[in-house]
Amino acid sequence: MGTMTEHTSTGAGHGRAVMPIIRMRARSRDENHRASTPLELFFDLCFVVAAAQAGVQLVHAVAEGHYVDGIAGYMFVFFALWWAWVNFTWFASAYDTDDVPYRIATFVQICGVLVFAAGIPDAFDGTDRTTAIVGYLIMRIALTCQWLRAASGESGAARTTALQYAAGLVIVQAGWIVLLLMPASAWIPGFFVLMIAELAVPAIAERNHQTPWHPQHIAERYGLFTIIMLGETIAAATIAVQSGIRDFDAADLLIPIAVGGVLIVFSALWIYFAVPIHEYLADQGNRAVLLWGYGHYFVFGSAAAIGAGIEVAVEEAVGEAHISTFAASAAVTIPAAMFLIFVWLMHSRHFKRDRIEQAVLPVAAILVLACTFAGHWAVPLAGLVAAGTVGVGVGLSTRSKS
């Protein structure tokens, strides 16, 4: 059990035997068929719990007309979720050994996710952020131990990078503890300072040596998380159908919302996966890759917010939301437009061949926003715009190839 052996790459990880303890060394970027492991998929699913909690709180806040507080709370909660997921994903792409210590450390991070999720309702409205921050610290402490373990198995520049990651994590987490002890008035400026510090850790740690993440693996991991976030919209559309069945008088409003929501999520999925992003990532330097990875905060956040917006639209249609039809429509169209814009900005534009192709997603985002003024037909019209965007994109792609 205590024998230390060198780590050797054996492919995707699905068929690898789990060794008790092996020396943690960086995996090769040239591995064939590198795919997500069952442990990574399980890790993602645990984030669904926390993302759903954030969505529920956003729905309640917007439905009651507390727009600013709701959006601010959602941004804080989602940043913590997204950043913990991002750090785990990139570390796993470079150092996944899938042995006993690695699995235990991952399970500890999952426990942190669950604690964080339990604290989301209080953290969202600012009444008590203690539970959420404790959960976040659990996730980060486990990751710090992973980086220290990586440092013990590396040498030279790779070892320095791992140690800088660990040191950066410790410093920033100490900052969160200090912020928790400070007066409530310090929360907003302190949050933004620590958010910048969190984002700076990878840039500083990797300025002289880049960890050997795998382009295809990272592209798949981000794609899978996008699917999970879009899944919230499918759940919201289901709620619309159920409400229509129970409240027959509102069915003429709820069924179109459900159809529009489904069209939006189907189109979003199609648009996101229309490009082989791993080819772009493989050819880019560290700065461009960091920008792509960081920019997905808005991709993931807007994808999840679409589902929350659908639920708000449903509540307004049945008279349970204390907001106008325009505001309820905007709860869907704004995140849908944001998704289109940020997928284009961070993802799709790198593969567009001319100005016409480049204009498709930005124009579609504008048209989706214009649907906000269509009253109760805003969501189905936005869905038709999204579906039409896919059709135009497919047509232009065919034109380019012919």
Coordinates of all heavy atoms in Angstrom, one line a residue, residues 187-255:
W187 N -18.2 43.8 2.7 CA -18.4 42.6 1.8 C -18.2 42.9 0.4 O -17.5 42.2 -0.3 CB -19.8 42.0 2.1 CG -20.1 40.9 1.1 CD1 -20.9 40.9 0.1 CD2 -19.5 39.6 1.1 NE1 -20.9 39.8 -0.6 CE2 -20.0 38.9 0.0 CE3 -18.5 39.0 1.9 CZ2 -19.6 37.6 -0.3 CZ3 -18.1 37.7 1.6 CH2 -18.7 37.0 0.5
I188 N -18.9 43.9 -0.2 CA -18.9 44.1 -1.6 C -17.5 44.4 -2.1 O -17.0 43.8 -3.0 CB -19.9 45.2 -2.0 CG1 -21.3 44.7 -1.8 CG2 -19.7 45.6 -3.5 CD1 -22.4 45.7 -2.1
P189 N -16.8 45.5 -1.6 CA -15.4 45.7 -2.0 C -14.5 44.6 -1.8 O -13.6 44.2 -2.6 CB -15.0 47.0 -1.3 CG -15.9 47.0 -0.1 CD -17.2 46.4 -0.5
G190 N -14.7 43.9 -0.6 CA -13.8 42.7 -0.3 C -14.0 41.6 -1.3 O -13.0 40.9 -1.6
F191 N -15.3 41.4 -1.6 CA -15.5 40.3 -2.6 C -14.8 40.5 -3.9 O -14.2 39.6 -4.5 CB -17.1 40.2 -2.8 CG -17.4 39.3 -4.0 CD1 -17.3 37.9 -3.9 CD2 -17.9 39.8 -5.2 CE1 -17.7 37.1 -4.9 CE2 -18.2 39.0 -6.2 CZ -18.1 37.6 -6.1
F192 N -14.9 41.7 -4.4 CA -14.3 42.0 -5.7 C -12.8 41.9 -5.7 O -12.1 41.4 -6.6 CB -14.7 43.3 -6.3 CG -16.1 43.3 -6.9 CD1 -17.2 43.9 -6.2 CD2 -16.4 42.7 -8.1 CE1 -18.5 43.8 -6.7 CE2 -17.6 42.7 -8.6 CZ -18.7 43.2 -7.9
V193 N -12.2 42.3 -4.6 CA -10.7 42.2 -4.4 C -10.3 40.8 -4.4 O -9.4 40.4 -5.0 CB -10.3 42.9 -3.1 CG1 -8.8 42.6 -2.8 CG2 -10.4 44.4 -3.2
L194 N -11.0 39.9 -3.6 CA -10.7 38.5 -3.5 C -11.0 37.8 -4.8 O -10.3 36.8 -5.2 CB -11.4 37.9 -2.3 CG -10.9 38.3 -1.0 CD1 -11.8 37.8 0.1 CD2 -9.5 37.9 -0.8
M195 N -12.1 38.2 -5.5 CA -12.4 37.6 -6.8 C -11.2 37.8 -7.8 O -10.8 36.9 -8.5 CB -13.6 38.2 -7.4 CG -14.0 37.6 -8.8 SD -15.5 38.4 -9.4 CE -14.8 40.0 -9.9
I196 N -10.7 39.0 -7.8 CA -9.5 39.3 -8.7 C -8.3 38.5 -8.2 O -7.6 38.0 -9.1 CB -9.2 40.8 -8.6 CG1 -10.4 41.6 -9.3 CG2 -7.9 41.1 -9.4 CD1 -10.2 43.1 -9.1
A197 N -8.1 38.4 -6.9 CA -7.0 37.6 -6.4 C -7.1 36.1 -6.8 O -6.2 35.5 -7.2 CB -6.9 37.7 -4.9
E198 N -8.4 35.6 -6.7 CA -8.6 34.2 -7.2 C -8.2 34.0 -8.6 O -7.5 33.1 -9.0 CB -10.1 33.8 -6.9 CG -10.5 33.7 -5.5 CD -10.2 32.3 -4.9 OE1 -9.5 31.6 -5.5 OE2 -10.8 32.0 -3.9
L199 N -8.7 34.9 -9.5 CA -8.4 34.8 -10.9 C -6.9 35.0 -11.2 O -6.4 34.5 -12.2 CB -9.2 35.9 -11.7 CG -10.7 35.7 -11.6 CD1 -11.4 36.9 -12.3 CD2 -11.2 34.4 -12.2
A200 N -6.2 35.7 -10.3 CA -4.8 36.0 -10.6 C -3.9 34.8 -10.3 O -2.8 34.8 -10.8 CB -4.4 37.2 -9.8
V201 N -4.3 33.9 -9.4 CA -3.5 32.8 -9.0 C -3.0 32.0 -10.2 O -1.8 31.8 -10.3 CB -4.2 31.9 -8.0 CG1 -3.4 30.7 -7.7 CG2 -4.4 32.7 -6.7
P202 N -3.8 31.5 -11.1 CA -3.3 30.7 -12.2 C -2.4 31.6 -13.1 O -1.4 31.0 -13.6 CB -4.6 30.3 -13.0 CG -5.7 30.4 -12.0 CD -5.3 31.5 -11.1
A203 N -2.7 32.8 -13.4 CA -1.9 33.7 -14.2 C -0.5 33.8 -13.6 O 0.5 33.8 -14.4 CB -2.5 35.0 -14.4
I204 N -0.4 34.0 -12.3 CA 0.9 34.2 -11.7 C 1.6 32.8 -11.6 O 2.8 32.8 -11.9 CB 0.7 34.7 -10.2 CG1 0.1 36.2 -10.3 CG2 2.0 34.7 -9.5 CD1 -0.2 36.7 -9.0
A205 N 1.0 31.8 -11.2 CA 1.6 30.5 -11.0 C 2.2 29.9 -12.4 O 3.2 29.3 -12.4 CB 0.6 29.5 -10.4
E206 N 1.5 30.2 -13.5 CA 1.9 29.6 -14.8 C 2.6 30.6 -15.7 O 2.7 30.4 -16.9 CB 0.6 29.1 -15.5 CG -0.1 28.1 -14.6 CD -0.9 27.1 -15.5 OE1 -0.6 27.0 -16.7 OE2 -1.8 26.4 -15.0
R207 N 3.1 31.7 -15.1 CA 3.8 32.7 -16.0 C 5.1 32.2 -16.5 O 5.5 32.6 -17.6 CB 4.0 34.0 -15.2 CG 5.0 33.9 -14.0 CD 5.0 35.2 -13.2 NE 6.0 35.2 -12.2 CZ 5.8 34.6 -11.0 NH1 4.6 34.0 -10.7 NH2 6.8 34.7 -10.1
N208 N 5.7 31.2 -15.9 CA 7.0 30.7 -16.4 C 6.9 29.2 -16.8 O 7.8 28.7 -17.5 CB 8.1 30.8 -15.3 CG 8.4 32.2 -15.0 OD1 8.5 33.1 -15.9 ND2 8.6 32.5 -13.7
H209 N 5.9 28.6 -16.4 CA 5.7 27.1 -16.7 C 4.2 26.8 -16.8 O 3.4 27.1 -15.9 CB 6.4 26.2 -15.7 CG 6.1 24.8 -16.0 ND1 6.7 24.0 -16.9 CD2 5.2 23.9 -15.4 CE1 6.3 22.8 -16.9 NE2 5.3 22.7 -16.0
Q210 N 3.7 26.3 -17.9 CA 2.3 25.9 -18.1 C 2.1 24.5 -17.7 O 2.8 23.6 -18.2 CB 1.9 26.2 -19.5 CG 0.4 26.1 -19.8 CD 0.1 26.3 -21.2 OE1 0.3 25.5 -22.1 NE2 -0.5 27.5 -21.5
T211 N 1.1 24.2 -16.9 CA 0.7 22.9 -16.6 C 0.2 22.2 -17.9 O -0.5 22.8 -18.7 CB -0.4 22.8 -15.5 OG1 -1.5 23.6 -15.9 CG2 0.2 23.3 -14.2
P212 N 0.5 20.9 -18.1 CA 0.2 20.2 -19.3 C -1.2 19.7 -19.4 O -1.5 18.5 -19.5 CB 1.2 19.1 -19.3 CG 1.4 18.7 -17.9 CD 1.3 20.0 -17.1
W213 N -2.2 20.6 -19.4 CA -3.6 20.2 -19.6 C -3.8 19.7 -21.0 O -3.1 20.0 -21.9 CB -4.5 21.4 -19.3 CG -4.1 22.7 -20.1 CD1 -3.2 23.6 -19.6 CD2 -4.5 23.1 -21.4 NE1 -3.1 24.6 -20.6 CE2 -3.8 24.3 -21.7 CE3 -5.3 22.5 -22.4 CZ2 -4.0 24.9 -22.9 CZ3 -5.5 23.1 -23.6 CH2 -4.8 24.4 -23.8
H214 N -4.8 18.9 -21.1 CA -5.1 18.2 -22.4 C -6.2 18.9 -23.2 O -7.3 19.1 -22.7 CB -5.5 16.8 -22.1 CG -5.5 15.9 -23.3 ND1 -6.4 15.9 -24.3 CD2 -4.6 14.9 -23.7 CE1 -6.1 15.0 -25.2 NE2 -5.0 14.4 -24.9
P215 N -6.0 19.5 -24.4 CA -6.9 20.3 -25.1 C -8.3 19.6 -25.3 O -9.3 20.2 -25.1 CB -6.3 20.6 -26.4 CG -4.8 20.5 -26.1 CD -4.7 19.4 -25.1
Q216 N -8.3 18.3 -25.8 CA -9.5 17.6 -26.0 C -10.2 17.3 -24.7 O -11.5 17.4 -24.6 CB -9.2 16.3 -26.7 CG -8.8 16.5 -28.2 CD -8.5 15.2 -28.9 OE1 -7.9 14.3 -28.3 NE2 -9.0 15.0 -30.1
H217 N -9.5 17.0 -23.6 CA -10.1 16.8 -22.3 C -10.8 18.0 -21.8 O -11.9 18.0 -21.3 CB -9.0 16.3 -21.4 CG -9.6 16.0 -20.0 ND1 -9.2 16.8 -18.9 CD2 -10.4 15.1 -19.5 CE1 -9.8 16.3 -17.8 NE2 -10.5 15.3 -18.2
I218 N -10.1 19.2 -21.9 CA -10.6 20.4 -21.4 C -11.9 20.8 -22.2 O -12.9 21.3 -21.7 CB -9.6 21.6 -21.5 CG1 -8.6 21.4 -20.3 CG2 -10.2 22.9 -21.4 CD1 -9.1 21.5 -18.9
A219 N -11.8 20.7 -23.5 CA -13.0 21.0 -24.4 C -14.2 20.1 -24.0 O -15.3 20.6 -23.9 CB -12.6 20.8 -25.8
E220 N -13.9 18.9 -23.8 CA -15.0 18.0 -23.4 C -15.6 18.4 -22.0 O -16.8 18.4 -21.8 CB -14.6 16.5 -23.3 CG -15.7 15.6 -23.0 CD -15.2 14.2 -22.7 OE1 -14.1 14.0 -22.1 OE2 -15.9 13.2 -23.2
R221 N -14.7 18.7 -21.1 CA -15.2 19.0 -19.7 C -16.0 20.3 -19.7 O -17.1 20.3 -19.1 CB -13.9 19.2 -18.8 CG -13.1 18.0 -18.6 CD -13.7 16.9 -17.8 NE -13.9 17.3 -16.5 CZ -15.1 17.4 -15.9 NH1 -16.2 17.0 -16.6 NH2 -15.3 17.8 -14.6
Y222 N -15.6 21.3 -20.5 CA -16.4 22.5 -20.6 C -17.7 22.3 -21.3 O -18.7 22.8 -20.9 CB -15.6 23.6 -21.3 CG -14.7 24.4 -20.3 CD1 -13.6 23.9 -19.7 CD2 -15.0 25.8 -20.1 CE1 -12.8 24.6 -18.8 CE2 -14.2 26.5 -19.2 CZ -13.1 25.9 -18.6 OH -12.4 26.7 -17.7
G223 N -17.7 21.4 -22.3 CA -18.9 21.1 -23.0 C -19.9 20.4 -22.1 O -21.1 20.7 -22.1
L224 N -19.4 19.4 -21.3 CA -20.3 18.7 -20.4 C -20.9 19.6 -19.4 O -22.1 19.5 -19.0 CB -19.5 17.6 -19.7 CG -19.1 16.4 -20.6 CD1 -18.1 15.5 -19.9 CD2 -20.3 15.7 -21.1
F225 N -20.1 20.6 -18.9 CA -20.7 21.5 -17.9 C -21.7 22.4 -18.5 O -22.7 22.8 -17.8 CB -19.5 22.3 -17.2 CG -19.9 22.8 -15.8 CD1 -20.1 21.9 -14.8 CD2 -20.0 24.1 -15.6 CE1 -20.4 22.3 -13.5 CE2 -20.4 24.6 -14.3 CZ -20.5 23.7 -13.3
T226 N -21.5 22.8 -19.7 CA -22.5 23.6 -20.5 C -23.8 22.8 -20.6 O -24.9 23.4 -20.4 CB -22.0 24.0 -21.9 OG1 -20.7 24.7 -21.8 CG2 -23.0 24.8 -22.6
I227 N -23.7 21.5 -20.9 CA -24.9 20.7 -21.0 C -25.6 20.7 -19.6 O -26.9 20.8 -19.6 CB -24.5 19.3 -21.4 CG1 -24.0 19.3 -22.8 CG2 -25.7 18.3 -21.2 CD1 -23.5 17.9 -23.3
I228 N -24.9 20.5 -18.5 CA -25.5 20.5 -17.2 C -26.2 21.8 -16.9 O -27.3 21.8 -16.4 CB -24.4 20.2 -16.1 CG1 -23.9 18.8 -16.2 CG2 -25.0 20.5 -14.7 CD1 -22.8 18.4 -15.3
M229 N -25.6 22.9 -17.3 CA -26.2 24.2 -17.0 C -27.5 24.4 -17.9 O -28.5 24.9 -17.4 CB -25.3 25.4 -17.3 CG -24.1 25.4 -16.3 SD -24.5 25.6 -14.6 CE -24.3 23.9 -14.0
L230 N -27.4 24.0 -19.1 CA -28.6 24.1 -20.0 C -29.7 23.1 -19.6 O -30.9 23.3 -19.8 CB -28.2 23.7 -21.5 CG -27.3 24.8 -22.2 CD1 -26.9 24.3 -23.5 CD2 -28.1 26.1 -22.3
G231 N -29.3 22.1 -18.9 CA -30.3 21.1 -18.3 C -31.3 21.8 -17.4 O -32.5 21.3 -17.3
E232 N -30.9 22.9 -16.8 CA -31.8 23.6 -15.9 C -33.0 24.2 -16.7 O -34.1 24.3 -16.2 CB -31.1 24.8 -15.2 CG -30.0 24.3 -14.2 CD -30.5 23.6 -13.1 OE1 -31.5 24.0 -12.5 OE2 -30.0 22.5 -12.7
T233 N -32.7 24.5 -18.0 CA -33.8 25.0 -18.8 C -34.8 24.0 -19.2 O -36.0 24.2 -19.2 CB -33.2 25.6 -20.1 OG1 -32.3 26.7 -19.7 CG2 -34.3 26.3 -21.0
I234 N -34.3 22.7 -19.4 CA -35.2 21.6 -19.7 C -36.1 21.4 -18.5 O -37.3 21.2 -18.6 CB -34.4 20.4 -20.0 CG1 -33.7 20.5 -21.3 CG2 -35.4 19.1 -20.1 CD1 -34.6 20.7 -22.5
A235 N -35.6 21.4 -17.3 CA -36.3 21.3 -16.0 C -37.4 22.4 -15.9 O -38.5 22.1 -15.6 CB -35.4 21.3 -14.8
A236 N -37.0 23.6 -16.3 CA -38.0 24.7 -16.2 C -39.1 24.5 -17.2 O -40.3 24.8 -16.9 CB -37.3 26.0 -16.5
A237 N -38.8 24.0 -18.4 CA -39.8 23.8 -19.4 C -40.8 22.7 -19.0 O -42.0 22.8 -19.2 CB -39.2 23.4 -20.7
T238 N -40.2 21.7 -18.3 CA -41.1 20.7 -17.7 C -42.1 21.2 -16.7 O -43.3 20.9 -16.6 CB -40.2 19.6 -17.0 OG1 -39.3 19.0 -18.0 CG2 -41.1 18.5 -16.5
I239 N -41.6 22.2 -15.9 CA -42.5 22.8 -14.9 C -43.6 23.6 -15.6 O -44.7 23.6 -15.1 CB -41.6 23.8 -14.0 CG1 -40.7 23.0 -13.1 CG2 -42.5 24.7 -13.2 CD1 -39.7 23.8 -12.3
A240 N -43.2 24.2 -16.7 CA -44.3 24.9 -17.5 C -45.4 24.0 -18.0 O -46.5 24.3 -17.9 CB -43.6 25.7 -18.6
V241 N -45.0 22.9 -18.5 CA -45.9 21.9 -19.0 C -46.8 21.4 -17.8 O -48.0 21.3 -17.9 CB -45.2 20.7 -19.7 CG1 -46.3 19.6 -20.1 CG2 -44.5 21.2 -20.9
Q242 N -46.2 21.0 -16.7 CA -46.9 20.5 -15.5 C -47.9 21.6 -15.1 O -49.1 21.3 -14.7 CB -45.9 20.2 -14.4 CG -45.1 18.9 -14.7 CD -44.1 18.7 -13.6 OE1 -43.7 19.6 -12.8 NE2 -43.7 17.4 -13.4
S243 N -47.5 22.8 -15.0 CA -48.4 23.9 -14.6 C -49.5 24.1 -15.5 O -50.7 24.3 -15.1 CB -47.6 25.2 -14.5 OG -46.5 25.1 -13.5
G244 N -49.3 23.9 -16.8 CA -50.3 24.0 -17.8 C -51.4 22.9 -17.7 O -52.6 23.1 -17.9
I245 N -50.9 21.7 -17.3 CA -51.8 20.6 -17.1 C -52.7 20.8 -15.9 O -53.9 20.6 -15.9 CB -51.0 19.3 -17.0 CG1 -50.3 18.9 -18.3 CG2 -52.0 18.1 -16.5 CD1 -49.4 17.7 -18.2
R246 N -52.1 21.4 -14.8 CA -52.8 21.6 -13.6 C -53.7 22.8 -13.7 O -54.8 22.9 -13.1 CB -51.8 21.8 -12.4 CG -51.0 20.5 -12.1 CD -49.9 20.8 -11.1 NE -49.1 19.7 -10.9 CZ -48.0 19.7 -10.2 NH1 -47.5 20.8 -9.7 NH2 -47.3 18.6 -10.0
D247 N -53.3 23.8 -14.4 CA -54.0 25.1 -14.5 C -54.4 25.2 -16.0 O -53.8 25.9 -16.8 CB -53.2 26.3 -14.1 CG -54.0 27.6 -14.0 OD1 -55.2 27.5 -14.5 OD2 -53.5 28.6 -13.5
F248 N -55.5 24.6 -16.4 CA -55.9 24.5 -17.8 C -56.2 25.9 -18.4 O -55.9 26.2 -19.5 CB -57.2 23.7 -17.9 CG -57.6 23.4 -19.4 CD1 -56.9 22.5 -20.1 CD2 -58.6 24.1 -19.9 CE1 -57.3 22.3 -21.5 CE2 -59.0 23.9 -21.3 CZ -58.3 23.0 -22.0
D249 N -56.7 26.9 -17.5 CA -56.9 28.2 -18.0 C -55.7 28.9 -18.5 O -55.8 29.8 -19.3 CB -57.6 29.0 -16.9 CG -59.0 28.5 -16.6 OD1 -59.6 27.8 -17.5 OD2 -59.5 28.7 -15.4
A250 N -54.5 28.6 -17.9 CA -53.3 29.2 -18.3 C -52.5 28.4 -19.3 O -51.4 28.8 -19.7 CB -52.4 29.5 -17.0
A251 N -53.0 27.3 -19.8 CA -52.3 26.5 -20.7 C -51.9 27.2 -22.0 O -50.8 26.9 -22.5 CB -53.1 25.2 -21.0
D252 N -52.8 28.1 -22.4 CA -52.5 28.8 -23.7 C -51.2 29.7 -23.5 O -50.6 30.1 -24.5 CB -53.7 29.6 -24.1 CG -54.1 30.6 -23.1 OD1 -53.8 30.4 -21.9 OD2 -54.7 31.7 -23.5
L253 N -50.9 30.1 -22.3 CA -49.7 30.9 -22.1 C -48.5 30.0 -21.7 O -47.3 30.3 -22.1 CB -49.9 31.8 -20.9 CG -51.0 32.9 -21.1 CD1 -51.1 33.7 -19.9 CD2 -50.6 33.8 -22.3
L254 N -48.7 28.9 -21.0 CA -47.6 28.1 -20.5 C -47.0 27.2 -21.5 O -45.8 27.0 -21.5 CB -48.1 27.2 -19.3 CG -48.5 28.1 -18.0 CD1 -49.2 27.2 -17.0 CD2 -47.3 28.8 -17.5
I255 N -47.9 26.6 -22.4 CA -47.3 25.7 -23.4 C -46.4 26.4 -24.3 O -45.3 25.9 -24.7 CB -48.5 25.0 -24.2 CG1 -49.3 24.2 -23.2 CG2 -47.9 24.1 -25.2 CD1 -48.6 23.1 -22.4

